[in-house]
């Protein structure tokens, strides 16, 4: 039986980012945990420490972040209470991405939409208890969520099956985002990997959105600044700046046995990847406002 490891917590003192933050900046990827209120399922890949919505909002205030998108974590399976309670309690500030079963109904989507949900997460890599069997199983669910203006957020290694990803995105006829800049590890060849080059082509063709998240999940370096990931960030911004968004990945679950990065330092990397303040404002503000309906 695979050991379920306890996660370390985030750095409790985020430094101010090395750039001016634009109004209505948005963190599009983080999780909230409160085990007493929202228990974890037995089938999971890790056990996180409590970091509830109040701690999340204090973290955002420290960084100058006005909006956020709380993403369903695999430890909760399809029990979306944690993300829906957070988003519905702060409707001007938060949106939610939920996890659903393949048989989800229009009525269930409508109820979650009213509480701030704007998309579904399909985690095919670090599944824990996520229920989707494959990318092909998304077709029917796409029909259910399309009338609500929702999108699909994928956690996949984009370099592995680029042809299947292209077919999926073209068939679904709704926005599709991918996390961790595509989740292609530097050790797999980085942006030079032919599959990642195919992904960049799909970005240029308008088929995907991409999140600037989880640098430590793809870097070959043990600690900040994860300089070997800068080429990924610059490549996706060059390919589709109007469909790039940023996320903290707070509180950095399953980041084991390596130094915990400071979130202000991580956010400040955006100024290095994109020196133009107007472009950064698009990535931090207007792009997420369009995708998440702020």
């Amino acid at each position: 039986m695979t050991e379920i490891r306890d996660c370390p917590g985030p750095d409790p003192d985020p430094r101010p980012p090395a750039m001016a933050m634009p109004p209505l900046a948005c963190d599009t990827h983080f999780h909230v945990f409160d085990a007493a209120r929202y228990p974890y399922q037995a089938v999971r890949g890790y056990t996180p420490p409590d970091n509830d919505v109040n701690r999340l909002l204090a973290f955002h205030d420290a960084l100058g972040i006005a909006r956020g998108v709380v993403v369903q974590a695999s430890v909760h399976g399809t029990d979306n209470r944690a993300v829906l309670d957070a988003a519905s309690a702060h409707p001007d500030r938060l949106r939610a991405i939920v996890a659903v079963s393949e048989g989800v109904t229009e009525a269930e989507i409508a109820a979650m939409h009213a509480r701030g949900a704007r998309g579904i997460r399909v985690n095919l890599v670090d599944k824990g208890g996520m229920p989707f069997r494959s990318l092909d199983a998304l077709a029917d669910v796409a029909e259910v969520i399309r009338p609500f203006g929702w999108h699909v957020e994928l956690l996949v290694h984009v370099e592995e099956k680029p042809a299947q990803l292209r077919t999926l995105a073209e068939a679904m006829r709704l926005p599709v985002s991918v996390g961790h800049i595509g989740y292609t590890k530097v050790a797999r060849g980085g942006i030079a990997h032919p599959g990642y080059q195919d992904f960049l082509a799909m970005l240029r063709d308008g088929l995907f959105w991409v999140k600037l998240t989880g640098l430590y999940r793809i870097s070959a370096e043990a600690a900040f600044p994860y300089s070997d990931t800068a080429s990924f960030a610059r490549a996706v911004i060059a390919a589709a700046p109007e469909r790039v968004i940023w996320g903290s990945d707070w509180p950095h679950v399953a980041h084991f046995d390596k130094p915990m990065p400071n979130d202000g330092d991580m956010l400040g990397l955006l100024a290095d990847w994109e020196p133009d303040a107007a472009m950064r404002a698009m990535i931090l503000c207007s792009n997420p406002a369009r995708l998440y309906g702020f």
Side-chain angles (χ1 to χ4, degrees), residues 191 195-205 232 235-236 239:
I191 66 169
Y196 198 81
Q197 289 297 309
D198 288 342
F199 174 64
L200 291 174
M202 287 185 266
L203 280 179
R204 289 190 289 268
D205 290 344
F232 288 93
V236 298

Side-chain angles (χ1 to χ4, degrees), residues 69-80:
V69 182
V70 56
V71 176
Q72 177 76 345
S74 62
V75 296
H76 286 130
T78 57
D79 178 358
N80 293 292

Side-chain angles (χ1 to χ4, degrees), residues 8-14 27-34 46 48-60 62-63 65 69-73 180 212-217 246-255 260-264 266:
D11 187 323
D13 298 306
D27 176 355
T28 70
H29 194 98
F30 54 85
H31 311 291
V32 292
F33 301 106
D34 184 346
Y46 59 86
D50 281 355
N51 282 280
D52 65 12
V53 67
N54 292 324
R55 190 171 296 176
L56 175 277
L57 294 176
F59 157 67
H60 278 174
L63 292 184
I65 293 170
V69 182
V70 56
V71 176
Q72 177 76 345
H180 307 335
L212 301 174
T213 59
L215 306 183
Y216 43 81
R217 303 192 190 281
W246 175 86
S248 66
D249 203 25
W250 185 90
H252 316 294
V253 297
H255 185 54
M260 186 63 68
N262 185 278
D263 284 283
M266 295 274 283

Side-chain angles (χ1 to χ4, degrees), residues 7-21:
C7 296
D11 187 323
D13 298 306
R15 287 182 280 272
M19 60 182 181
M21 290 295 287

